Amino acid sequence: MSSRVFPRLVVAFATLALAQPAFAHEQVGVAGGLASGLLHPLTGMDHLIAMVAVGIWGAQLGAPAIWVLPITFPLVMAFGGVLGVLRIPLPMPEVAIALSALVLGAAVAMRLRLPFAAAAVVVAVFAVFHGHAHGAELPGSANPLAYGAGFVVATGLLHLCGILIGALTRWPAGGRLVQGLGVVIATLGGYFLMRSLGGVA
């Protein structure tokens, strides 16, 4: 079954990625508030795949990472969101966000087993940049608290999706499928990285 499902996943992810001309943090015209915050992480493939990858990687690492990593990301992301709202600059945020998808996808693909503390640091560093991007694009009419609550909740749901996908690793075929998905995420991350570097150059 995995031989038929994997090509479909590749096509679906590639289609979604290439069909979006802009990253989530470049969107405009979204009404402010809770609904805007909920939708923001879902409308940019670079954000979405990185957040799903956090959940998958946590599931691969097992307890306590399976729960702590998906909790660490939204909490630290909220801090990054405050930095974004305050317009405190971070170096090359587009590059860091694209790199997060590449690194986390590669970690899933290789079933990388870092010590728990090291994995938490990796996730936290990337979370700051994701949060900063969300905060910097806070719509002018938005309530910052409601908007922030929205994107934290949406991020948690994406992590939960990743955990459910990661549960497939209990079966050999599922494990290979999850690793293949990690390759897809890393490949898309590389694509976004090239795009962001092109914008920096």
Side-chain angles (χ1 to χ4, degrees):
M1 182 175 71
S2 61
S3 63
R4 279 179 280 181
V5 173
F6 179 63
R8 293 176 186 172
L9 284 174
V10 173
V11 172
F13 267 86
T15 301
L16 285 170
L18 299 175
Q20 293 188 342
F23 294 152
H25 30 95
E26 294 171 341
Q27 66 182 357
V28 295
V30 180
L34 181 64
S36 179
L38 283 168
L39 291 174
H40 202 249
L42 306 178
T43 55
M45 183 57 66
D46 54 341
H47 284 291
L48 190 151
I49 60 177
M51 293 173 189
V52 171
V54 169
I56 298 175
W57 193 30
Q60 287 178 324
L61 292 173
I66 188 172
W67 302 117
V68 176
L69 293 188
I71 291 173
T72 298
F73 196 105
L75 290 178
V76 179
M77 189 182 70
F79 169 74
V82 172
L83 297 181
V85 169
L86 297 176
R87 298 295 188 264
I88 297 173
L90 292 179
M92 296 189 294
E94 299 282 0
V95 173
I97 289 169
L99 189 62
S100 71
L102 175 59
V103 170
L104 294 168
V108 170
M110 297 185 297
R111 296 184 64 101
L112 184 63
R113 302 200 67 83
L114 290 181
F116 169 67
V121 168
V122 169
V123 166
V125 168
F126 288 137
V128 171
F129 285 92
H130 281 267
H132 185 274
H134 291 307
E137 288 301 311
L138 174 72
S141 61
N143 178 318
L145 186 59
Y147 180 81
F151 76 66
V152 167
V153 169
T155 296
L157 292 174
L158 289 172
H159 291 333
L160 181 59
C161 289
I163 291 171
L164 294 175
I165 293 170
L168 295 173
T169 57
R170 296 177 182 178
W171 299 276
R176 290 191 293 273
L177 181 63
V178 168
Q179 287 181 277
L181 184 57
V183 172
V184 174
I185 292 172
T187 301
L188 290 175
Y191 165 73
F192 290 128
L193 182 60
M194 288 188 292
R195 279 180 54 182
S196 61
L197 288 173
V200 170

